[in-house]
Amino acid sequence: MELMVLLNALVTRLLFVLHSLIGVWRVTAAKKEPKYWLLALLNLLLCLETGLTLKFKQGRGYKWFSPAIFLYLICTVPSLWLLEIHHGTQYCGNEPGAVQVNVSNQNFNQSRDSSHGSEGTDHHIIQTAKVFVNQLSTICETVWTLALHQTFLLLLVVGRWLLPIGVEITRDQLSQLLLMFVGTAADILEFASETLDIEDVRKNYALINAILAVWTWSMLQFPLDLAVQHIGCKPTASTRRIPSLLLCRYSAELWNIGVSLFIQDGPFFIVRSILMGHFRIFNQMLVFFTAKNILVVTLQLYRLAVITLDFRATILQKSRKGEVGCCPCEPYEASTHAIADQDTEMKEVVAFPPKEESQAPSEDK
């Protein structure tokens, strides 16, 4: 097993576990009940996955699916749910700016003064760390929740980058996937923060659960890699049907459209429409992002229509040439082979002229 593959696999999963434990700590501190430390047991699943991946896959990933990302979601999402639900029952009077001033100026100066003439540099570092941890505990819970949301989404992207890739996915596909995840993470963070910060939403417990359910549903796209990988089908009898041929040729594009319509922009549009239509909640950002979801859904439907028309034109063109049974999964490859066959036939014609022409003079004699 390569050393870098082993280090990337272990360090990435260690970051996942640490972030999950921080979320459990914040839930325990907010609820003030030690029983919530039981949520930390979910990390045992990630540890088990780490051992199995190192044993059977030598630390590398799987095709189309990342178990480490999926288990990281399982370990962290419950803590964020509890923090968001607790958010609606607490009052936060501290401003983030004031907390930063207290941490950076007053308390660290006190720690420096108390450490002068004491046991030395080590004692000073320990005292500084204690003061810093104590001040972190006094930060407003809304700031903690937002910070956990942000670091959660950042770790999903960075973790997917650091995790060793399998032999089925290339570096080019991974870079495309990461760029897609950055835009997806920004949209998801905006959806959660913008809708849950509305005062009327915070007063409705069922609405909070519905928004968090849609948010959790949208997170399920991160463990999947289907948006950049094509399904490698062969021209068998099962792939000669029109839906199978369409999926064979445009698998990545169709998956991307399906994610947008059914996992992200579609559900986001429904939630925002309910907020405006049924609950009569209106603000500038809510209207803007609703219009943005409508535009994205419309463009995805337009893209689906373009793909269908292009596929139909390809099928009609092949049917005219008598190639209905062929699978148009690799049009460029097929056209290359066709050109090569034509060149071969031309060479054969030049090398071996027709027999009728060669026999014609002998008949005249």
Side-chain angles (χ1 to χ4, degrees):
M1 186 186 303
E2 299 178 3
L3 180 60
M4 287 302 300
V5 173
L6 176 64
L7 288 178
N8 288 338
L10 293 178
V11 169
T12 305
R13 289 169 172 83
L14 180 60
L15 291 176
F16 290 165
V17 171
L18 290 177
H19 186 265
S20 175
L21 292 177
I22 293 174
V24 175
W25 168 58
R26 290 317 306 165
V27 172
T28 307
K31 296 286 189 178
K32 295 186 171 40
E33 294 184 14
K35 66 179 182 180
Y36 287 101
W37 277 111
L38 294 175
L39 291 173
L41 295 178
L42 292 173
N43 291 282
L44 294 177
L45 297 174
L46 191 58
C47 297
L48 178 62
E49 183 273 337
T50 302
L52 294 176
T53 302
L54 293 178
K55 181 178 181 180
F56 296 104
K57 298 289 291 184
Q58 287 74 45
R60 298 192 176 275
Y62 295 82
K63 185 178 182 180
W64 297 339
F65 183 73
S66 175
I69 298 292
F70 180 71
L71 293 177
Y72 176 47
L73 294 177
I74 293 178
C75 296
T76 310
V77 167
S79 300
L80 293 177
W81 265 71
L82 294 173
L83 288 174
E84 288 292 353
I85 293 174
H86 181 73
H87 181 285
T89 61
Q90 69 173 351
Y91 173 76
C92 184
N94 294 332
E95 294 294 332
V99 173
Q100 292 175 0
V101 171
N102 291 333
V103 172
S104 59
N105 295 329
Q106 180 181 357
N107 293 284
F108 280 111
N109 289 334
Q110 290 178 359
S111 66
R112 290 193 187 97
D113 295 338
S114 62
S115 63
H116 285 308
S118 62
E119 293 152 330
T121 307
D122 294 337
H123 179 72
H124 167 67
I125 295 175
I126 294 175
Q127 288 297 114
T128 303
K130 288 181 179 179
V131 171
F132 183 70
V133 172
N134 291 333
Q135 285 299 315
L136 286 179
S137 301
T138 61
I139 293 178
C140 178
E141 201 62 44
T142 56
V143 178
W144 265 111
T145 304
L146 180 59
L148 286 174
H149 270 286
Q150 294 170 341
T151 52
F152 178 44
L153 292 169
L154 288 176
L155 266 181
L156 284 173
V157 180
V158 176
R160 189 63 188 87
W161 191 7
L162 294 178
L163 284 174
I165 61 176
V167 295
E168 296 87 359
I169 183 172
T170 63
R171 296 287 181 182
D172 178 62
Q173 292 174 338
L174 179 62
S175 62
Q176 296 178 26
L177 187 68
L178 293 174
L179 289 174
M180 291 174 56
F181 280 175
V182 170
T184 300
D187 288 340
I188 293 176
L189 178 62
E190 178 278 324
F191 169 76
S193 59
E194 181 256 335
T195 53
L196 292 175
D197 284 345
I198 300 175
E199 184 178 356
D200 293 336
V201 173
R202 284 293 174 188
K203 297 177 182 178
N204 193 327
Y205 183 78
L207 194 56
I208 293 176
N209 287 331
I211 293 174
L212 289 175
V214 173
W215 169 77
T216 304
W217 172 250
S218 66
M219 300 296 293
L220 295 178
Q221 58 187 299
F222 285 99
L224 300 173
D225 302 338
L226 293 175
V228 294
Q229 296 192 45
H230 289 275
I231 298 176
C233 62
K234 297 180 180 179
T236 59
S238 61
T239 59
R240 292 177 183 178
R241 299 178 180 179
I242 298 301
S244 300
L245 292 176
L246 182 63
L247 180 62
C248 171
R249 183 174 183 181
Y250 298 104
S251 58
E253 290 83 354
L254 292 176
W255 171 252
N256 194 9
I257 294 173
V259 166
S260 178
L261 294 179
F262 301 107
I263 298 182
Q264 187 170 330
D265 289 285
F268 290 178
F269 166 68
I270 293 174
V271 171
R272 288 175 173 131
S273 299
I274 293 175
L275 291 178
M276 293 191 299
H278 185 269
F279 293 96
R280 303 297 178 184
I281 300 174
F282 294 94
N283 58 56
Q284 184 178 1
M285 298 304 295
L286 185 61
V287 173
F288 170 78
F289 284 108
T290 304
K292 179 245 183 187
N293 290 141
I294 295 175
L295 181 61
V296 172
V297 170
T298 305
L299 291 176
Q300 293 290 0
L301 293 175
Y302 174 73
R303 173 63 180 162
L304 181 61
V306 170
I307 288 176
T308 305
L309 292 175
D310 178 71
F311 178 76
R312 181 173 178 272
T314 304
I315 292 295
L316 291 176
Q317 183 180 3
K318 287 185 174 292
S319 64
R320 292 170 183 172
K321 296 180 179 180
E323 301 176 359
V324 183
C326 296
C327 175
C329 303
E330 301 292 343
Y332 299 106
E333 232 178 76
S335 61
T336 304
H337 290 315
I339 294 174
D341 294 339
Q342 291 178 1
D343 292 341
T344 304
E345 291 177 359
M346 291 296 295
K347 290 178 181 178
E348 291 177 355
V349 169
V350 173
F352 302 99
K355 295 182 179 179
E356 295 180 357
E357 295 181 359
S358 61
Q359 294 175 357
S362 61
E363 293 178 357
D364 293 338
K365 291 179 181 179

